[in-house]
């Protein structure tokens, strides 16, 4: 009898263990992908693995006991920011997609409403304007948050550009009414990966094949990397000046974007911004292009005036005005930069003192150096430079050098950028590897803080 009880006890323990493992797998690792969340004319997708990210932070907290108290104290905040708190289902995968022939910064996402009351309350609390679009759709718009939402039954389509209502409605019709979905086989490499997020870019005028970029979370940084099978004409490398201490430095081969539709679509706005016809510059085939924003220079000017006391004695008054100007260097190499210079002078963009007058923020000198058109303002006395290996392009931003007034300006333009205040350096490199482009990006935390202390 005793043996039977022991045997039964072992069976119960085994069943409990199997049940626990099953629940752990279902909660932590089993994932479903909604094949009806992306339209067939999408040409770019960011597939966010929600469970992967959640698991990363759970295990990071378990490995870091010093953060347990922070985890507990922030639990209420995290719960308030959860999608479910807005009446929206939290999916296993959240897909953000871009549509062909639309602005680069315009992205969409599909979600489902699981609680009607919570969703309507959230839109009212967030000051969305609700309108009936047609018999099928209802619209919710918030210029403050920069969102436009189209609702169909319990499904919603979100767009981050409220002004593009007609485009968003058309995408909603393709998804919800016409059921024109992207074949999941095309993006199979974005599902069931070890990545926190995977980026898929459809083959285009630059790419010979679809591109996949992998985003991973590490202790002190976020990393993205992947191979880009570019067409041979786009794989041209160059050596750049690359000031390692610059607030922002950017260099790239202009031939990559010279014939892109984004330039043609926004040519009127670009010409108005720069004050001359961009096509007149493109005609001279610009190649290596670089911008170094070294720092923001504070300048103080004193204005002296005089007042008089009751005995008519002069009283000297000094008023100090503080201004902030960029210290930058811009160069563009072309087939004949002297002709470009002459064209700009004929358009009166360059005055008789070689000053580029179309940039009002700082006096900007113009010159020709090594067959490159150079614009320079407030040059530093000593410009440290790093020996740059040959690259297709690069970007480096020292977020840790931005001052409070800079952040106030940036956040006023886009509140979502506030999260970047906790990071130190953003670096992006595009190099040549095995006759392809190799993309690498690193977003490092400030002062080597642990990622879980920033995103909690």
């Amino acid at each position: 009898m005793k043996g039977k009880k022991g045997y039964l006890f072992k069976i119960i323990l085994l069943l409990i263990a199997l049940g626990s493992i099953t629940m752990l797998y279902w909660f932590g690792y089993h994932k479903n992908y909604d094949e009806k969340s992306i339209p067939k004319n999408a040409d770019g997708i960011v597939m966010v693995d929600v469970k992967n990210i959640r698991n990363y932070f759970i295990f990071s907290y378990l490995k870091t006991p010093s953060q347990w108290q922070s985890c507990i104290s922030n639990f209420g905040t995290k719960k308030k920011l959860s999608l479910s708190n807005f009446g929206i289902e939290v999916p296993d995968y959240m897909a953000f997609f871009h549509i062909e022939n639309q602005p680069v910064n315009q992205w969409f996402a599909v979600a489902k409403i699981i609680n009607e009351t919570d969703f309507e309350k959230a839109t009212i609390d967030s000051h969305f304007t609700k309108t009936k679009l047609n018999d099928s759709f209802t619209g919710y718009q918030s210029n403050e948050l920069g969102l436009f939402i189209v609702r169909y039954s319990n499904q919603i389509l979100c767009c981050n550009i409220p002004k593009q209502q007609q485009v968003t409605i058309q995408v909603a019709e393709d998804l919800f009414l016409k059921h024109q979905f992207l074949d999941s086989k095309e993006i199979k490499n974005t599902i069931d990966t070890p990545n926190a997020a995977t980026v898929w870019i459809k083959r285009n005028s630059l790419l010979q094949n679809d591109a996949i970029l992998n985003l991973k979370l590490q202790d002190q940084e976020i990393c993205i990397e992947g191979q880009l099978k570019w067409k041979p004409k786009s794989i041209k490398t160059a050596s750049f000046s690359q000031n390692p201490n610059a607030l922002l430095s950017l260099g790239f081969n202009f031939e990559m974007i010279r014939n892109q539709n984004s330039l043609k679509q926004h040519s009127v706005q670009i010409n108005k911004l720069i004050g001359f016809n961009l096509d007149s510059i493109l005609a001279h085939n610009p190649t290596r292009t670089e911008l170094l924003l070294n720092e923001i220079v504070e300048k103080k000017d004193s204005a002296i005036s005089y007042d008089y006391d009751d005995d008519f004695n002069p009283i000297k008054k000094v008023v100090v005005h503080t201004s902030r100007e960029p210290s930058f260097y811009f160069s563009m190499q072309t087939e004949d930069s002297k002709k470009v210079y002459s064209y700009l002078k004929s358009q009166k963009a360059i005055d008789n003192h070689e000053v580029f007058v179309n940039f009002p923020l700082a006096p900007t000198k113009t010159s020709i150096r090594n067959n490159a058109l150079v614009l320079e303002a407030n040059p530093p006395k000593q410009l440290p430079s790093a020996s740059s290996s040959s690259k297709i392009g690069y970007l480096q931003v020292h977020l840790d050098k931005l001052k409070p007034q800079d952040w106030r300006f940036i956040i006023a333009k886009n509140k979502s950028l506030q999260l970047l205040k906790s990071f130190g350096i953003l670096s992006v490199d595009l190099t040549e590897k095995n006759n392809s482009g190799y993309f690498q990006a690193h977003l490092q935390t400030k002062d080597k803080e642990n990622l879980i202390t920033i995103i909690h």
Side-chain angles (χ1 to χ4, degrees):
M1 190 72 180
K2 186 176 180 180
K4 289 183 178 180
K5 286 184 178 179
Y7 183 70
L8 181 61
F9 180 70
K10 290 179 180 179
I11 292 176
I12 292 173
L13 284 179
L14 180 61
L15 290 174
I16 292 173
L18 289 173
S20 300
I21 292 172
T22 302
M23 289 180 64
L24 178 63
Y25 169 76
W26 189 267
F27 175 76
Y29 298 98
H30 177 76
K31 303 167 194 172
N32 290 315
Y33 165 64
D34 184 2
E35 297 183 349
K36 300 177 180 180
S37 60
I38 303 173
K40 69 176 184 180
N41 59 341
D43 63 358
I45 298 167
V46 178
M47 188 71 72
V48 180
D49 190 329
V50 178
K51 281 192 175 180
N52 185 304
I53 296 173
R54 184 195 61 194
N55 293 344
Y56 167 82
F57 283 106
I58 288 175
F59 288 119
S60 295
Y61 276 118
L62 290 176
K63 292 187 299 182
T64 316
S66 60
Q67 298 298 324
W68 291 357
Q69 182 60 41
S70 173
C71 177
I72 295 171
S73 61
N74 286 289
F75 178 76
T77 303
K78 283 190 272 187
K79 190 175 180 180
K80 289 180 181 179
L81 296 176
S82 172
L83 288 176
S84 60
N85 196 61
F86 297 92
I88 299 174
E89 179 184 45
V90 180
D92 295 337
Y93 291 99
M94 176 67 79
F96 299 89
F97 57 88
H98 180 268
I99 299 296
E100 294 175 346
N101 302 319
Q102 294 304 316
V104 176
N105 62 334
Q106 182 177 1
W107 288 79
F108 303 85
V110 170
K112 290 183 180 179
I113 300 171
I114 55 174
N115 189 305
E116 173 78 21
T117 303
D118 288 346
F119 175 77
E120 290 294 338
K121 182 178 183 301
T123 56
I124 293 171
D125 293 343
S126 301
H127 308 293
F128 277 84
T129 302
K130 181 179 178 180
T131 54
K132 188 71 175 177
L133 299 175
N134 52 41
D135 293 338
S136 302
F137 300 138
T138 303
Y140 301 82
Q141 180 170 335
S142 172
N143 292 324
E144 181 181 353
L145 296 176
L147 288 175
F148 178 61
I149 299 174
V150 175
R151 177 178 177 178
Y152 174 75
S153 184
N154 70 328
Q155 296 176 293
I156 58 173
L157 173 68
C158 304
C159 176
N160 66 326
I161 302 183
K163 294 180 181 179
Q164 294 281 61
Q165 288 194 14
Q166 291 304 316
V167 175
T168 310
I169 293 171
Q170 181 60 56
V171 175
E173 289 179 353
D174 292 342
L175 281 170
F176 303 145
L177 300 181
K178 299 178 182 178
H179 307 298
Q180 297 178 349
F181 309 122
L182 182 71
D183 188 346
S184 60
K185 293 179 181 178
E186 290 192 47
I187 55 169
K188 61 182 180 180
N189 291 335
T190 67
I191 308 296
D192 289 330
T193 71
N195 309 315
T198 305
V199 181
W200 172 82
I201 306 171
K202 188 177 181 179
R203 182 178 60 182
N204 52 38
S205 58
L206 288 176
L207 297 171
Q208 286 185 328
N209 302 320
D210 295 352
I212 293 289
L213 302 177
N214 304 311
L215 185 150
K216 297 181 180 180
L217 304 178
Q218 299 184 4
D219 289 344
Q220 297 170 352
E221 64 180 4
I222 300 172
C223 305
I224 308 176
E225 62 179 358
Q227 199 88 351
L228 303 173
K229 190 63 178 178
W230 280 6
K231 295 179 180 178
K233 66 177 182 179
S234 301
I235 306 177
K236 294 186 179 181
T237 61
S239 295
F240 299 94
S241 303
Q242 204 167 347
N243 173 9
N245 299 321
L247 183 62
L248 180 147
S249 51
L250 168 68
F252 61 95
N253 174 15
F254 204 96
E255 292 182 80
M256 291 190 303
I257 64 171
R258 190 166 60 209
N259 298 317
Q260 295 304 300
N261 289 331
S262 56
L263 282 179
K264 298 174 184 177
Q265 290 172 354
H266 300 93
S267 59
V268 175
Q269 297 93 319
I270 293 173
N271 293 342
K272 186 176 180 181
L273 178 66
I274 61 180
F276 52 85
N277 191 336
L278 180 62
D279 288 338
S280 299
I281 307 298
L282 299 181
H284 295 285
N285 299 320
T287 54
R288 181 174 59 83
T289 307
E290 188 166 27
L291 169 66
L292 303 178
L293 176 56
N294 299 303
E295 60 179 333
I296 304 297
V297 179
E298 288 194 353
K299 293 185 174 181
K300 294 185 178 181
D301 296 319
S302 300
I304 300 175
S305 63
Y306 290 90
D307 203 351
Y308 297 89
D309 60 16
D310 294 339
D311 297 323
F312 297 99
N313 296 313
I315 302 173
K316 184 178 179 180
K317 291 185 176 181
V318 179
V319 179
V320 178
H321 297 279
T322 302
S323 61
R324 306 180 79 234
E325 295 182 0
S327 165
F328 75 90
Y329 167 90
F330 172 81
S331 70
M332 177 183 286
Q333 197 167 45
T334 69
E335 288 181 347
D336 193 338
S337 294
K338 289 183 179 179
K339 287 186 177 180
V340 175
Y341 180 93
S342 300
Y343 166 73
L344 293 175
K345 199 151 189 177
S346 70
Q347 298 299 303
K348 297 184 179 180
I350 301 174
D351 66 15
N352 294 329
H353 302 286
E354 296 184 335
V355 174
F356 186 74
V357 298
N358 287 9
F359 187 74
L361 299 180
T364 304
K365 280 286 187 178
T366 314
S367 60
I368 301 294
R369 300 180 201 169
N370 300 321
N371 196 32
L373 178 72
V374 175
L375 305 178
E376 195 169 19
N378 296 313
K381 294 179 180 178
Q382 290 185 338
L383 182 61
S385 60
S387 56
S388 169
S389 57
S390 191
K391 301 176 181 179
I392 300 172
Y394 81 95
L395 168 68
Q396 181 170 283
V397 185
H398 272 277
L399 299 167
D400 50 0
K401 290 189 175 183
L402 290 170
K403 296 184 178 180
Q405 55 264 50
D406 300 321
W407 280 115
R408 283 196 294 270
F409 174 79
I410 293 170
I411 295 170
K413 294 291 184 181
N414 191 334
K415 291 183 179 179
S416 62
L417 296 177
Q418 185 167 357
L419 181 62
L420 291 177
K421 290 180 69 175
S422 300
F423 291 90
I425 299 175
L426 168 65
S427 61
V428 179
D429 281 306
L430 187 56
T431 56
E432 188 273 333
K433 188 175 182 181
N434 299 326
N435 295 320
S436 297
Y438 184 69
F439 180 90
Q440 239 182 345
H442 298 271
L443 180 58
Q444 302 172 3
T445 60
K446 187 184 293 185
D447 301 324
K448 295 185 177 180
E449 283 190 78
N450 200 303
L451 194 60
I452 60 175
T453 64
I454 295 175
I455 309 176
H456 51 56

